[in-house]
Amino acid sequence: MRQPMRLGTGIGWRPEIAEAVERMPGIDWVEAVAENVCPDHVPESLLRLRERGVTVVPHGVSLGLGGADRPDESRLTALAERAEVLGSPLVTEHIAFVRAGGPLTASPLLEAGHLLPVPRTRDALDVLCENIRVAQAALPVPLAVENIAALISWPGEEMTEGQFLYDLVDRTGVRLLIDVANLHTNHVNRGEDPAKALDELPVEAIAYVHVAGGFERDGVWHDSHAHPVPRPVLDILADLASRVTPPGVLLERDENFPEPAELERELTAIRGTLEKAGPLPGGAERAERAEAVRVSGSGGADSGPDVEDATRQRLALSQAALLSSLVAGTPVPEGFDRVRLGVQARALAAKRADVVAKVAPELPEILADGYRPAFLAYAQGHPMTDGYRRDALDFAGHLLLTGLPEGAETRRLRDWWLERSGPAPLSRRPGARLARATRRALLRR
């Protein structure tokens, strides 16, 4: 494994703060959500940053490397295209599953619309390692994978997070994107000690670090990326920086954007935390361990046996049972905390409503105050099966069939749905088109 390149201090690029990011002093690099960048129409802001020599890293959110299925070739191709068009030195994704079901389980394919934790078991590790090798072989630049935040824990786990990540790096040579905010989330929600995780994982394999904010409610930490970075997260960053100098550190903010000056103050606090952190004793031992990791992981994508189909099927069944309980109301799998699963299910439905409102902003306008309660009611019996844009169309079709909230504009919703529901001309029996689409939606249930 080659040493990761030096990135410096960066911020997550989002369209809402694009102009502010371009004007911020001291920004060495930015990270853009890969799925939000079209290779044929790269945002002008990103092109200007590239022309100035600012590195742009595509950050994927939909590959689902921790899922039971092998990585989808079209998604890998899309991620590779974004790396090439942006001239990126690496790409990043998550150690998570985002969908479950399908042929491996002979059940409907379900989408989470969110990053869900994989069980820290040998089966899950075997599948993840092979999936990462497939991804590494398909990508033109190195891959780094991120630890995620979680509200729930899997029963019967066989490893800690640090052990799981260490073995992952050891077997694949993959780099790590360590999110210190996610370590804090898992400390509050799952009782996991961030210092122990840092003790166990190969910090020298880190490509870069994420820092983000969140909030606590009723004893549960929500990794919102919409709030200021709290002191405990900066403390974990300081602990990490005392062990190894991070090649890059990036501030994430996805919504509820403050004034640019506030973001700049957070970046200043991050830089100050890194400057104050000094090396701890034991550096030689950690360096020896890092060298062992580099040597044993040097085979990268070419090493490791194929995973047996039975292993993938076992993982597929367990992930499908969990996701179905979260989004389709099926019974909670044995061993899971029912209260925590309820919190996670509500969080998934709320996020789904928020994202649908963003990808289809006309819906909240048409439905007014009735949008959110109507969507949350719809989500209880209608799992997402094919992404947020399809979800918006299915929701609108459902309302046209079953009735709109009081105060909604039926004709506007009908026209909106007809314009987006397919290639057939609007004049060709729109009522029949609605009926056919409704039947398709019902058959997917």
Side-chain angles (χ1 to χ4, degrees):
M1 179 188 294
R2 294 177 300 172
Q3 288 288 354
M5 70 170 291
R6 305 300 302 178
L7 290 168
T9 303
I11 189 169
W13 182 92
R14 303 294 183 265
E16 296 90 338
I17 56 171
E19 291 185 10
V21 168
E22 289 187 61
R23 294 194 298 267
M24 283 182 188
I27 296 297
D28 302 306
W29 64 292
V30 299
E31 180 190 78
V33 176
E35 288 79 357
N36 293 344
V37 176
C38 177
D40 296 330
H41 302 283
V42 177
E44 291 293 329
S45 173
L46 287 179
L47 293 177
R48 287 192 293 269
L49 288 169
R50 287 286 300 124
E51 289 171 0
R52 284 167 37 192
V54 175
T55 299
V56 180
V57 174
H59 184 53
V61 298
S62 64
L63 198 53
L65 290 170
D69 291 310
R70 289 174 175 81
D72 181 82
E73 290 184 9
S74 63
R75 294 180 189 275
L76 283 173
T77 298
L79 191 56
E81 288 174 347
R82 284 149 179 80
E84 289 176 335
V85 76
L86 294 170
S88 305
L90 78 163
V91 298
T92 56
E93 250 289 354
H94 297 82
I95 301 170
F97 77 101
V98 297
R99 61 189 65 87
L104 279 174
T105 60
S107 63
L109 182 67
L110 300 175
E111 292 276 348
H114 189 68
L115 304 165
L116 294 176
V118 301
R120 297 170 191 156
T121 61
R122 293 297 169 189
D123 276 358
L125 180 61
D126 288 345
V127 171
L128 176 63
C129 285
E130 183 172 87
N131 287 351
I132 283 179
R133 292 187 195 107
V134 171
Q136 287 171 319
L139 295 169
V141 293
L143 170 69
V145 290
E146 179 181 357
N147 61 304
I148 71 163
L151 289 174
I152 56 178
S153 299
W154 282 83
E157 292 193 314
E158 299 164 351
M159 289 170 274
T160 65
E161 180 159 45
Q163 292 167 343
F164 192 84
L165 294 178
Y166 186 91
D167 283 358
L168 176 65
V169 171
D170 186 29
R171 292 172 57 177
T172 66
V174 74
R175 298 175 182 178
L176 296 177
L177 192 181
I178 295 299
D179 191 315
V180 292
N182 292 349
L183 292 179
H184 175 66
T185 301
N186 294 344
H187 171 62
V188 176
N189 293 347
R190 305 204 284 189
E192 298 174 355
D193 183 0
K196 182 181 179 183
L198 294 177
D199 281 340
E200 293 176 338
L201 64 83
V203 292
E204 292 80 2
I206 291 174
Y208 62 88
V209 175
H210 272 173
V211 181
F215 66 95
E216 187 171 351
R217 179 184 295 156
D218 299 329
V220 175
W221 186 267
H222 296 267
D223 179 46
S224 67
H225 292 192
H227 294 78
V229 176
R231 183 74 250 171
V233 171
L234 292 177
D235 290 342
I236 298 172
L237 175 63
D239 189 0
L240 186 153
S242 71
R243 302 160 186 266
V244 66
T245 300
V249 179
L250 181 128
L251 173 65
E252 282 192 296
R253 187 73 172 238
D254 291 333
E255 55 187 34
N256 191 26
F257 297 102
E259 292 298 317
E262 178 59 29
L263 292 174
E264 291 177 24
R265 281 192 287 272
E266 291 204 82
L267 287 165
T268 298
I270 289 170
R271 294 187 187 99
T273 299
L274 295 172
E275 290 170 0
K276 291 178 183 177
L280 289 175
E285 290 82 356
R286 284 194 294 276
E288 290 176 5
R289 186 180 72 174
E291 181 60 27
V293 170
R294 281 193 288 273
V295 171
S296 62
S298 60
D302 296 327
S303 62
D306 292 339
V307 176
E308 295 181 358
D309 289 343
T311 302
R312 287 189 178 273
Q313 188 172 47
R314 286 194 298 271
L315 182 63
L317 290 169
S318 63
Q319 290 181 339
L322 173 59
L323 183 53
S324 181
S325 72
L326 290 171
V327 302
T330 56
V332 172
E334 184 177 354
F336 281 94
D337 185 319
R338 292 175 179 272
V339 174
R340 286 300 173 97
L341 254 64
V343 173
Q344 180 72 84
R346 291 189 293 275
L348 289 179
K351 178 180 179 180
R352 191 174 156 195
D354 291 341
V355 178
V356 165
K358 288 183 178 180
V359 301
E362 301 89 349
L363 293 180
E365 293 176 8
I366 295 169
L367 302 177
D369 292 341
Y371 165 74
R372 194 169 188 83
F375 188 90
L376 294 178
Y378 163 80
Q380 289 181 359
H382 300 80
M384 184 166 61
T385 59
D386 191 23
Y388 286 110
R389 297 186 190 281
R390 181 75 253 172
D391 203 23
L393 284 170
D394 289 346
F395 169 56
H398 170 79
L399 291 182
L400 290 169
L401 179 69
T402 60
L404 277 63
E406 184 178 350
E409 301 179 51
T410 304
R411 184 170 181 176
R412 277 190 67 194
L413 182 64
R414 177 178 174 275
D415 290 346
W416 179 89
W417 184 89
L418 289 171
E419 288 174 0
R420 293 160 176 79
S421 60
L426 298 185
S427 59
R428 293 187 179 180
R429 302 177 62 202
R433 288 174 55 207
L434 174 57
R436 286 197 302 272
T438 302
R439 284 196 296 272
R440 288 197 300 271
L442 291 173
L443 287 172
R444 285 199 297 268
R445 292 178 60 183

